[in-house]
């Protein structure tokens, strides 16, 4: 029987507790939540709840710590402490894990324990485990994904209802898909963390989040979506990664996809992700990218994999550089400073909108530093 | 080290041998093909090859038999013998397994061995294992899939190029996607086998293939595809199943899907399948539905799961009835005998084409027995 110390009892944590307490399958009955760390006396509604992490860390019966608190601290310190105390750990916290990936994976390695993170990328989609499974046979060559439900909800709504960005953002907030402060979602930071974690699972690469160029959808306008539609395309926010010798291609950017790309049909707050490897070819996965029970389901899958003592090849992660100098595209740009793009413009659509020549992502990334309110969108061939 | 007796060295079998012999990963290096059964002296190109199954069955070192021969016999007898001799077995042979499911699963159970069949449904897509994984936490409520690459290639081509059925079939045959005798593919039999096996993995149900209503695309015309397009729809051949008390809903039929259903965008010979369960919601999978290496990849994944001694809940399959009396739809029908449908017609599109009222699949199935050359297509809401 696995005894779990659950950190956090919010949206995800309460889902994990509920699935485990209900124990509807033989497998889940082998798990037990022994203690639950909550922030506040007001939250205490169960005798297993405590305000003190020491109660969990010092409990010798607890073999696994499951972090569903979110935020950088104290989540980071708590997970590090768990690993250093010889506990396996499971986390759903992409921001924390992407930020401290090297330190936490090293701690897991030194302590001969495992740190699992299925729920932190793509919510309920079995993405990290699928990468692990495929890698038993193949090397992963590349991946791409719609990894943020909030922006997908906004972009799908703009596309289907010709709505404004602000209108759709307000709707997403009303439905609980977007935070009051939506910056991490709409500026591409959330997808950047997930791209970093996908690169870890796919390529054993530790990337610094700040090295991964990330562009969001904050400055998209109705006209951009209309332009895409006129040209038989749909705009989606995509995180991508590919193995490239010692370096890794990795970036986050809106892309104009062909209408017959099935990613174009991934609507509402659904996520989709796919990877390519040599014998399997391209394998795709779609599903709930967030939400209490789907994300909790993914956490429980990690716990079951630990409980089953599955052979998970101990992969040693290595710091790797991000190198996008040979990822070349045409870019669609809406800008208040068209003069910044003079050297690479191929076609002026109007005073503020242009298509570039085919240039590298590295080059466009450097130029965009001079125009922080531009909307940039890759145009896929 | 797992020692494997490989039965068959055709498209799939040679792929399995190649992946294992190349042993590119640590995991695959733990597998070894010890003997290979071939049909004919002309095929012998390797000292491990034999024409006698006894050489495999009597080899005490061989712990796992991997059947990639295709066809009913002798594949069925060989797999049964392997199980009765205490060997685990892996098969990619959907027709054989769907036909002898009850007998073979019972033999596996009695002999305390496992019979795995990932490659037999959806080729490289990790569909059967995903159902198993999800079922560690949830019950599967329903599934649907584009499970035949040949017909998907034909239907996609008809949709994209306004081509005739015969034209696309000839093209599929030229590319090796369709057999010289394509009956199993175009009449829905191949999808029926895969639907039966998906019901086994999803619901522990043993269905008789002949109990599952199966309609194919042999009688589809260009005009049917044009009608769908005019109405914002795309025709796909779909296998579906759902848990329904003691019975199971299961059927195979062309369906007119909304253009914004991502299944509508699954083109060429790609497969897609999705399932719905309580905590995870709807989870979708896309990928190569056939082909030497993708299918062989799936076989190797089964072998690795056996080698890893993963806990696979021993699920006891039970014979179940197919009951489609409360699956109700509008049906689009092209018929040379419109009088057969008089009682259920809602709208005559022309002399030979009609839309029915909303009727049950059971009812339409009974009526269609009077008109074996009709093209029938469910119209999804």
């Amino acid at each position: 029987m696995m005894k779990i110390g659950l950190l956090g009892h919010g949206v995800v944590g309460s889902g994990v507790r509920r699935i485990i307490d209900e124990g509807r399958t033989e497998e889940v009955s082998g798990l037990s939540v022994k203690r639950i760390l909550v922030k506040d006396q007001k939250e205490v509604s169960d005798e297993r709840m405590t305000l003190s992490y020491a109660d969990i860390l010092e409990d010798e019966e607890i073999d696994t710590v499951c972090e569903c608190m979110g935020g950088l601290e104290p989540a980071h310190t708590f997970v590090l402490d768990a690993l250093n105390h010889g506990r396996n750990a499971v986390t759903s916290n992409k921001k924390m894990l992407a930020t401290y990936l090297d330190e936490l994976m090293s701690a897991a390695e030194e302590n001969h324990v495992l740190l699992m993170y299925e729920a932190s990328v793509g919510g309920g989609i079995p993405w990290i485990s699928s990468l692990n499974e495929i890698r038993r046979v193949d090397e992963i060559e590349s991946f791409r994904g719609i990894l943020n439900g909030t922006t997908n909800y906004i972009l799908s709504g703009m596309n289907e209802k010709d709505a404004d960005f602000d209108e759709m953002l307000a709707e997403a907030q009303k439905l609980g898909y977007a935070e009051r402060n939506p910056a991490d979602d709409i500026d591409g930071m959330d997808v950047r963390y997930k791209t970093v974690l996908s690169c870890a699972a796919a390529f054993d690469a530790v990337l610094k989040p700040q090295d991964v160029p990330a562009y969001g959808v904050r400055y998209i306008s109705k006209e951009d979506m209309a332009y895409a539609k006129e040209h038989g395309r749909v705009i989606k926010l995509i995180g991508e990664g590919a193995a490239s010798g010692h370096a890794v291609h990795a970036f986050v950017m809106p892309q104009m996809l062909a209408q017959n790309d099935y990613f174009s049909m991934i609507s509402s707050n659904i996520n989709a992700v796919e990877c390519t490897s040599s014998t399997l070819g391209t394998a795709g996965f779609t599903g709930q990218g967030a939400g209490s029970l789907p994300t909790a389901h993914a956490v429980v899958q990690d716990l079951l994999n630990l409980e089953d003592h599955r052979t998970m090849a101990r992969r040693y992660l290595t710091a790797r550089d991000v190198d996008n100098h040979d990822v070349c595209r045409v870019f669609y740009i809406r800008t208040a400073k068209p003069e910044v793009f003079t050297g690479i413009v191929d076609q002026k659509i109007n005073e503020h909108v242009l298509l570039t020549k085919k240039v590298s992502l590295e080059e466009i990334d450097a130029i965009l530093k001079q125009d922080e309110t531009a909307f940039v969108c890759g145009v896929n061939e």
Side-chain angles (χ1 to χ4, degrees), chain A residues 33-78:
Chain A
V33 175
K34 195 175 176 210
R35 299 307 300 260
I36 304 168
L37 182 70
V38 294
K39 277 196 300 288
D40 200 303
Q41 190 60 42
K42 283 181 307 200
E43 269 192 276
V44 175
S45 59
D46 182 311
E47 57 181 13
R48 295 170 293 181
M49 290 180 176
T50 172
L51 298 175
S52 159
Y53 186 42
D55 287 346
I56 290 173
L57 218 48
E58 287 162 13
D59 186 330
E60 295 293 329
E61 273 189 15
I62 290 177
D63 46 52
T64 306
V65 166
C66 183
E67 186 269 308
C68 305
M69 309 169 75
L72 290 179
E73 290 297 349
H76 157 245
T77 307
F78 286 179

Side-chain angles (χ1 to χ4, degrees), chain A residues 353-369:
Chain A
V353 182
L354 58 92
L355 291 174
T356 71
K357 294 183 274 195
K358 201 165 176 177
V359 296
S360 77
L361 204 83
E362 191 175 83
E363 189 172 352
I364 197 82
D365 190 41
I367 293 173
L368 282 163
K369 297 216 188 318

Side-chain angles (χ1 to χ4, degrees), chain A residues 97-145:
Chain A
L97 184 58
T99 305
Y100 296 105
L101 185 61
D102 199 14
E103 180 192 28
L104 293 175
M105 288 298 177
S106 301
E109 198 182 302
E110 281 160 25
N111 292 286
H112 308 289
V113 290
L114 289 163
L115 171 55
M116 316 266 288
Y117 53 99
E118 181 63 77
S120 64
V121 189
I125 297 176
W127 169 235
I128 301 299
S129 61
S130 294
L131 288 171
N132 282 332
E133 299 289 87
I134 294 168
R135 290 189 64 193
R136 300 193 301 179
V137 180
D138 279 352
E139 280 186 17
I140 306 290
E141 293 161 9
S142 62
F143 69 86
R144 63 165 190 154

